[in-house]
Amino acid sequence: MVFCPFAAGYFLSFFFRNVNAIISKDLAAEFSLTPADLGFLTSMYLLAFAAFQLPLGVLLDRYGPRRVVAALLCSAAAGALVFALARELATLSIGRAFIGLGVSAGLMGAIKAFSLWFPLSRLATLNGLYLAFGGLGSLAATAPAEAVVEALGWRGMFYILSAMSLAAAVIVFFVVPEKPLPGQGATLRAQIAGFGRIFSTLAFWRIALPAVIGQGAYIALQGLWLGPWLYDVAGRQRHEVANYLLITALGYIAGSMFFGMVSDRLARAGISRLLVYKLGLGCSLAMLVPIAAGVHTGLGVILAVYSFTGISAALAYALLTPLFAPEMTGRVNTATNVLLFALSFTMQWAIGAVLKLYPIAEGRYAPAGYGAAFAVIAAIQLTAILWLLPMRTQPPRL
């Protein structure tokens, strides 16, 4: 009654986030979009998502996840309908932004609910299983989405997504039980001031930044640019692109379950989640480097390992939640998320802007442009990991 209703909305959140990688060429052809236009359009989801994270944290801590998530999913339903009806870039962008707003509580609402209903010692496992369910949405946004687009067109698919979003809102509202919230009675001003405490904590930044950069890169690639990269650099055909995106989605699902469950079990054996977090981030970066270099050999393995280890970044939520009081759970995690999706928006748009600087031949973007953009992202990710490495133990609650 707690896990499954939220998971239904989270499935849709991931589908919406990643489906443009499948329909990018359709949108570019129908609306005459440049690479920067396509990057901007797709990243409107991330911009709206990020912009609402801080207000969302206050709403979750003040009103609880059931009401907040259900209300927002109605916005996703409206956004999908607007997107399906769009006849120009501006309307597409508005629809995409409403979708991003509507699913912005998908993970944060669930983490808040888990912290209310389950012990913190199980939080990484629950988060991992939940992320795996979201990964099913990524999986559905690959070859299955391609099949739906072939049969119904991309507009028909978005009509169906609108109806599914509304159904998910109804399920969350009527099925999820209520539970008294810790910290009830706090003033709105005091709750907003809690963000100052979070953002002034050095341990928050050292733990959060590597996750934000690593997952931001993954979202920018899986959500849009990995698809065109497979066309333009790896020389793959449309059905092959869908299959490679399917591989990364499967890697994400497997990694979500692995890092969530294994980190909790190792923690009980005396091996810290922080160490698992560092190892996962390092492996993910090691796989991004050959992608940036345009390596084709063993591509399926590289992409599978990249997505499998990249989701280790989600351990940041389990590491950050115990740092602060229970009544601040919503704000702690949305503070991380606002950084994550603001950076994802920036990366997704910036990759398109970099590609625009290079020649476009027969609708294909230059491999050198991809290499330059991805190399900069890898360098930034390395810097954040190097700052995290000296931290040896989980910091105590503040």
Side-chain angles (χ1 to χ4, degrees), residues 206-216 277 281 310 312-316 336 340 384:
R206 291 185 70 181
I207 293 171
L209 273 184
V212 164
I213 296 168
Q215 268 297 283
Y277 178 55
L281 291 172
S312 63
L315 289 175
T336 307
L340 169 59

Side-chain angles (χ1 to χ4, degrees), residues 221-245:
L221 268 65
Q222 180 72 8
L224 177 60
W225 291 115
L226 184 57
W229 181 89
L230 287 165
Y231 285 117
D232 302 336
V233 180
R236 300 305 195 261
Q237 300 302 312
R238 181 166 182 151
H239 71 280
E240 294 176 299
V241 170
N243 288 334
Y244 276 113
L245 293 175

Side-chain angles (χ1 to χ4, degrees), residues 211 215 255-256 259 276-284 307-316 319:
Q215 268 297 283
S256 297
F259 283 101
V276 179
Y277 178 55
K278 292 176 184 177
L279 291 172
L281 291 172
C283 290
S284 175
S307 58
F308 180 88
T309 55
I311 192 54
S312 63
L315 289 175
L319 292 168

